[in-house]
Amino acid sequence: MRALHRGFAAHASVAALLLGTAVAAEVHAAPAPAEEITATVPSAGAPEDFGASCHTVVEGTRVTAHCRNTYPRPDRIRLHVECDPWWDVDADSAPVDVLPADHATLTARCWKRVRAAWITHEPAAAPAPSGRPGT
């Protein structure tokens, strides 16, 4: 019985090795892209990029938005939720400033069903420097 397991392990190892070699050959044989992508430097007068990247999750009647700002400028975000029945009140969150390298979580809910949810962005004013006066 033990010899049967060793034989199977040997065959499985050989099959994995051959499959790995075939996949590597396919990847290596892939053609190069037809065109080169060039990077451009923004002009001095152009505004910097801003806008937190957000991921919205709808769970039943509750909406949660997770946003992370990877840009050097603050972003003011708001969560908007449109509810499905006409009598259910839609929700708009208060604006939240997401500073550079920071994150925020916004939540809202409907009574019955969520029809749509989205995030709006606008540039926020840079925070005042903190520190002791006179330094």
Side-chain angles (χ1 to χ4, degrees), residues 15-134:
L17 180 63
L18 291 175
L19 179 64
T21 304
V23 169
E26 286 291 323
V27 170
H28 184 53
E35 59 188 49
E36 299 250 347
I37 299 173
T38 58
T40 59
V41 178
S43 65
E48 294 178 0
D49 288 336
F50 88 98
S53 61
C54 297
H55 176 71
T56 305
V57 178
V58 177
E59 295 178 7
T61 60
R62 184 168 302 277
V63 178
T64 306
H66 304 278
C67 298
R68 179 169 304 278
N69 188 1
T70 59
Y71 292 107
R73 292 182 45 200
D75 183 17
R76 179 168 291 139
I77 59 171
R78 291 183 71 175
L79 173 63
H80 306 276
V81 177
E82 185 177 334
C83 300
D84 195 21
W86 64 269
W87 49 264
D88 200 348
V89 179
D90 297 341
D92 295 318
S93 74
V96 175
D97 289 347
V98 185
L99 300 177
D102 201 3
H103 68 278
T105 301
L106 303 172
T107 60
R109 67 180 295 265
C110 294
W111 283 103
K112 287 284 189 178
R113 288 179 300 279
V114 175
R115 181 181 301 174
W118 65 95
I119 299 288
T120 56
H121 304 264
E122 65 181 62
S130 61
R132 292 177 289 170

